[in-house]
Amino acid sequence: MNTFININESVYSICKNNSKIRDILYDLGFKSIKNQVMFNTIAKKITIKKALEIKNISEVELIKKFKENGFYIFNNNRNSILKEIIVRLHNNENIDNIKKEFDSKLTKVSAVEIHNAMHELIKEGMDIDEAKEYFYIRSLILKDAISNDVDIDEDYIIYFKNTNREIEKLLKDILENKNRYIFDKLYDKVKKHYIKKETLFFLELKKHNNDEPSKVMSKVDKDIIDYMDYIKNNNLDDNTFFIEMHKLCGNINDMIFKEENILIPLAISVLPEDELKYIKENYIK
């Protein structure tokens, strides 16, 4: 399991809490850390961040070395706190405890902050499949915590949101009215929507090196379509069909939330007006 450490804490306190870190720092070039006298004196007064500056060792090198040994680095800033919380979620820590800590330290986060945190975690070694696996767990924390201050011209995204409202209506009709006969309509609507999202939003964001959310969403989209294929291609009895539909509904609704609270605000923040127009024109074709 990965552990988060704060490089603004003293070398002494961090090493005292985990002796393995002392060996890692030694391997990085901090040879005097094995001198017990210096460790009990100077190490108490100097932070790892300051020690890096003195030894002229890059933080990137430290991050890489620590990551190899199961440690993540964070500083005392919003981005690092968010990264820490995401990693701890991935490590299956108690969600209620993490949510309380999130509320006390961050309260609200923006789509751009979420993107930046995921971008750095993936750059530092978090596997895309791991990020996808915990896609839904992150929603338990972020559902009521996303606050975007991006000015959104509804003209650019109303077509996208309208599709989501249509998908929600179909899901509701299937589940509340026990109408399994419109499943094919739902299937076609969702699949077409995801294909356009992939070929328009994701590709445009990739041009601007903002594709981490897209990579994760793309994998989750594929899982949703695969699940719909399973429902579509198997002769399920009514009871099994509606059990599976309840699961599917939760996954699709979670994706809708991520699209409208992360993907769209991120696109509005990053993409120039001509690219937003291009997306709109090609989405509504």
Side-chain angles (χ1 to χ4, degrees):
M1 184 173 79
N2 295 310
T3 301
F4 242 96
I5 63 171
N6 186 346
I7 61 173
N8 290 307
E9 290 184 17
S10 72
V11 173
Y12 178 85
S13 64
I14 292 172
C15 292
K16 186 178 180 181
N17 291 332
N18 195 315
S19 59
K20 186 178 179 181
I21 294 175
R22 195 171 179 179
D23 294 329
I24 296 171
L25 292 174
Y26 180 85
D27 291 341
L28 276 169
F30 296 92
K31 302 303 181 184
S32 59
I33 202 168
K34 291 294 180 78
N35 182 312
Q36 198 59 38
V37 174
M38 295 188 71
F39 180 71
N40 288 330
T41 54
I42 296 175
K44 290 182 178 180
K45 300 177 181 180
I46 191 170
T47 65
I48 287 185
K49 188 175 181 67
K50 185 63 178 178
L52 288 175
E53 295 173 4
I54 294 172
K55 286 289 187 178
N56 197 27
I57 296 173
S58 73
E59 196 169 313
V60 172
E61 187 178 351
L62 179 80
I63 289 171
K64 181 180 178 182
K65 188 69 174 177
F66 272 48
K67 177 65 172 61
E68 290 171 358
N69 289 275
F71 296 96
Y72 277 95
I73 304 296
F74 78 97
N75 300 295
N76 289 326
N77 58 54
R78 288 179 59 84
N79 182 58
S80 295
I81 292 169
L82 182 56
K83 284 166 61 180
E84 176 200 7
I85 285 172
I86 291 172
V87 170
R88 287 167 59 193
L89 278 171
H90 286 215
N91 287 334
N92 296 315
E93 288 193 30
N94 183 276
I95 289 176
D96 290 334
N97 291 342
I98 294 178
K99 194 172 190 312
K100 288 178 183 176
E101 188 172 336
F102 179 95
D103 291 340
S104 67
K105 291 183 176 180
L106 296 174
T107 308
K108 298 288 184 181
V109 291
S110 69
V112 173
E113 285 181 301
I114 295 168
H115 163 264
N116 289 341
M118 290 305 302
H119 174 82
E120 290 187 15
L121 285 171
I122 291 170
K123 187 177 179 181
E124 291 164 12
M126 179 180 283
D127 187 76
I128 291 291
D129 287 326
E130 181 186 0
K132 184 207 75 173
E133 183 180 353
Y134 292 93
F135 183 82
Y136 301 112
I137 293 178
R138 289 197 297 275
S139 294
L140 298 175
I141 298 295
L142 300 175
K143 201 78 173 180
D144 300 315
I146 296 179
S147 176
N148 291 303
D149 56 4
V150 178
D151 290 328
I152 296 178
D153 185 341
E154 287 291 325
D155 185 54
Y156 286 136
I157 60 164
I158 193 65
Y159 57 90
F160 193 94
K161 287 189 172 182
N162 283 345
T163 299
N164 279 337
R165 300 296 81 78
E166 292 169 11
I167 290 171
E168 289 170 341
K169 187 174 184 298
L170 288 168
L171 286 169
K172 183 177 180 181
D173 193 6
I174 291 172
L175 291 174
E176 291 188 2
N177 298 321
K178 301 296 182 183
N179 184 3
R180 66 180 296 173
Y181 302 105
I182 60 171
F183 178 81
D184 285 349
K185 186 176 181 180
L186 172 70
Y187 178 91
D188 292 340
K189 178 72 70 176
V190 171
K191 190 168 185 177
K192 185 178 180 181
H193 176 59
Y194 286 0
I195 289 172
K196 288 188 173 183
K197 182 172 60 172
E198 181 92 28
T199 57
L200 295 172
F201 276 90
F202 292 175
L203 285 182
E204 293 303 317
L205 283 170
K206 187 174 182 179
K207 292 178 185 177
H208 297 269
N209 297 315
N210 284 273
D211 59 340
E212 275 73 21
S214 305
K215 289 176 183 177
V216 177
M217 281 188 179
S218 182
K219 284 182 173 288
V220 176
D221 286 347
K222 184 180 183 303
D223 286 349
I224 289 173
I225 296 300
D226 287 347
Y227 199 34
M228 295 184 80
D229 282 333
Y230 160 74
I231 295 173
K232 179 182 175 70
N233 297 326
N234 286 275
N235 188 25
L236 304 178
D237 61 71
D238 283 349
N239 184 57
T240 304
F241 173 83
F242 288 110
I243 289 174
E244 300 296 345
M245 276 304 305
H246 274 286
K247 296 177 185 176
L248 177 67
C249 181
N251 292 347
I252 291 177
N253 282 332
D254 192 82
M255 177 56 76
I256 288 173
F257 171 81
K258 294 280 189 10
E259 287 174 353
E260 297 187 2
N261 291 278
I262 297 177
L263 179 64
I264 289 176
L266 178 63
I268 297 293
S269 298
V270 170
L271 302 180
E273 189 171 345
D274 61 322
E275 291 180 16
L276 291 170
K277 286 181 178 179
Y278 169 81
I279 291 174
K280 176 186 176 181
E281 290 168 359
N282 285 273
Y283 187 95
I284 61 179
K285 282 183 179 178

